[in-house]
Amino acid sequence: MSEIPVSPAEAPLGMLAELTHRCPLHCPYCSNPLELIAKNNELTTDQWRTVLTQARELGVLQVHMSGGEPLARHDIRELVEHASDLGCYVNLVTSGLGLTEPVLQDLADRGLAHVQLSIQDSDPVRGNQVAGARAHDRKLAAAKVVHKVGLPLTGNVVLTRLNHDRIGEIITMAETMGVDRLELANTQYYGWALKNRAQLMPTREQLATAEPIVRAASKRLAGRMQVVYVVADYYEDYPKPCMHGWGARQLTVAPNGDVLPCPAATAISTLKLDNVKDRPLAEIWYQGESFNAYRGTEWMSPTCQVCPRKETDFGGCRCQAFLLTGDAAATDPVCSKSPDRPIIDTILARHHQAPEPLDAPLAMRWLAAERGAR
Ligand code: SF4
Ligand code: FES
């Protein structure tokens, strides 16, 4: 018999199912943790089926199958079919490598509803450099396959100092690819992106140049391609409403079954994570220590407690607060009211006074086992 939840949380709307950390790409902005989970620690097919069933029972309606590269799982077809049979809207978040027409047609026949394709750059050479693989042309081919099969397509571009100057070309390329929704997302600094922050962070000038280009494109493309721009939060006065609040709308299941309140939450080393192998998902969502740690507003710092924006941005991002201050309950240092804002200002000042050379080496994302085998 199920227990009465101890928290007043609503049921989650979505689940990010990180099926694997294996990936053919090695993007230096990846938000996966530096300690990637190896194949032999991944959940089995049956365990993922149970997770999906429990997620639907909990109320989840949207399942984002992600990674790493979800197509690296041999059981992707079965998992898509299972989630779809449960009544979930299933989204495949992919690099596009391995997305051939027979593979996608099969996934669509089994209920896949949407594809989200990562795009590195409009310049093939730069795109391949950042991907750490010959990926660019294969992404263009993957977009064609998505059209042929007739699924809606979101293009996701992580913006960095290395591609920001080509934002106009990137939008044009997305139009040519027939993207329905284009996410232009400035890098958020977790995982590998944090490690490479000095090389990846755009300049204030790049952001100022991009803004009118994006605004004009949004207007011109209205009704044809939705353009979503995610700001570079270090340059903002107020933080992003990360996850729309902790433990409020979405949960993430990592490849090993750890259940995370946000995809980057392993960064918070003080957080006690539960695993689907030990506890049912509903119990973790409602009663888990990690989900209740920063739910609501009671945990907030005195700065946020008295702020009229506390129900708007929820004090910003817990992972960013922890990574920059060592305290996950601190006001996000991006906030101009935060006593820790000087941390951000110092990073920005250093970035502008002594920027990394554009060809400075990047720490590429590799699984330890892959790196050894290279
Ligand atoms: Fe948001 Fe807290 Fe800053 Fe207010 S003080 S704007 S609630 S982060
Ligand atoms: Fe974890 Fe913002 S990325 S709370």
Side-chain angles (χ1 to χ4, degrees):
M1 184 186 289
S2 60
E3 296 173 42
I4 298 166
V6 295
S7 85
E10 302 277 331
L13 179 66
M15 177 170 79
L16 183 69
E18 285 186 347
L19 300 180
T20 178
H21 277 163
R22 289 173 284 140
C23 187
L25 306 193
H26 310 285
C27 308
Y29 53 68
C30 183
S31 63
N32 283 165
L34 298 180
E35 288 298 321
L36 293 164
I37 294 162
K39 184 180 180 190
N40 56 358
N41 287 326
E42 291 175 6
L43 295 181
T44 63
T45 306
D46 281 347
Q47 286 168 329
W48 271 116
R49 287 172 64 92
T50 304
V51 170
L52 292 164
T53 303
Q54 291 186 0
R56 184 65 197 97
E57 284 167 3
L58 175 58
V60 165
L61 290 171
Q62 299 169 357
V63 174
H64 308 279
M65 296 203 171
S66 169
E69 173 52 67
L71 295 174
R73 288 279 305 208
H74 66 85
D75 51 4
I76 183 71
R77 294 168 171 83
E78 189 177 338
L79 297 178
V80 165
E81 184 167 4
H82 185 61
S84 171
D85 285 351
L86 290 165
C88 294
Y89 181 90
V90 187
N91 174 26
L92 182 76
V93 183
T94 178
S95 67
L97 274 65
L99 197 69
T100 60
E101 191 179 337
V103 167
L104 187 61
Q105 187 61 61
D106 191 10
L107 292 174
D109 291 345
R110 290 167 189 256
L112 184 72
H114 181 270
V115 177
Q116 178 177 321
L117 179 68
S118 67
I119 302 166
Q120 277 66 35
D121 207 316
S122 54
D123 179 314
V125 175
R126 299 300 192 106
N128 289 343
Q129 272 169 2
V130 166
R134 285 203 189 135
H136 185 86
D137 291 348
R138 295 167 78 182
K139 284 165 186 282
L140 299 183
K144 282 190 184 145
V145 165
V146 178
H147 279 290
K148 211 154 174 204
V149 171
L151 290 179
L153 175 64
T154 290
N156 178 275
V157 184
V158 175
L159 294 173
T160 71
R161 182 174 68 143
L162 306 173
N163 63 5
H164 231 290
D165 293 334
R166 285 181 294 284
I167 200 161
E169 289 94 321
I170 289 170
I171 294 169
T172 305
M173 186 181 85
E175 277 183 79
T176 314
M177 290 167 79
V179 163
D180 300 293
R181 182 171 187 271
L182 176 63
E183 292 176 357
L184 298 165
N186 275 287
T187 318
Q188 310 293 310
Y189 300 109
Y190 316 107
W192 295 82
L194 181 62
K195 199 173 169 66
N196 289 303
R197 183 177 60 197
Q199 294 96 314
L200 298 178
M201 193 153 59
T203 63
R204 204 178 280 284
E205 293 70 31
Q206 283 181 310
L207 296 172
T209 306
E211 200 195 316
I213 297 173
V214 174
R215 211 179 310 116
S218 277
K219 209 167 154 193
R220 179 174 62 80
L221 294 163
R224 266 197 297 145
M225 181 170 89
Q226 187 191 5
V227 180
V228 179
Y229 184 72
V230 178
V231 298
D233 66 345
Y234 280 31
Y235 288 93
E236 298 290 309
D237 289 335
Y238 292 112
K240 57 189 179 251
C242 204
M243 302 302 296
H244 302 283
W246 184 268
R249 291 194 191 175
Q250 185 160 316
L251 56 90
T252 296
V253 179
N256 64 352
D258 281 347
V259 187
L260 312 173
C262 94
T266 47
I268 305 177
S269 55
T270 50
L271 208 60
K272 190 182 163 302
L273 297 174
D274 287 298
N275 191 288
V276 288
K277 288 182 269 185
D278 308 322
R279 278 181 103 177
L281 209 52
E283 205 177 291
I284 297 173
W285 173 261
Y286 287 115
Q287 298 168 12
E289 202 178 304
S290 62
F291 278 85
N292 283 308
Y294 309 110
R295 231 177 212 148
T297 55
E298 276 171 27
W299 57 272
M300 285 184 174
S301 70
T303 314
C304 294
Q305 284 291 354
V306 297
C307 178
R309 289 177 57 90
K310 73 177 179 184
E311 307 267 7
T312 307
D313 64 24
F314 317 105
C317 174
R318 295 309 88 224
C319 298
Q320 186 146 278
F322 182 82
L323 288 166
L324 296 180
T325 74
D327 177 7
T331 297
D332 187 332
V334 159
C335 181
S336 50
K337 298 181 185 183
S338 163
D340 295 311
R341 175 70 205 194
I343 295 173
I344 297 282
D345 291 334
T346 305
I347 293 166
L348 292 178
R350 203 180 301 137
H351 188 57
H352 288 276
Q353 282 155 16
E356 288 283 317
L358 272 173
D359 58 355
L362 292 153
M364 304 299 279
R365 172 207 193 276
W366 286 94
L367 264 166
E370 291 174 339
R371 201 186 291 122
R374 212 183 162 196

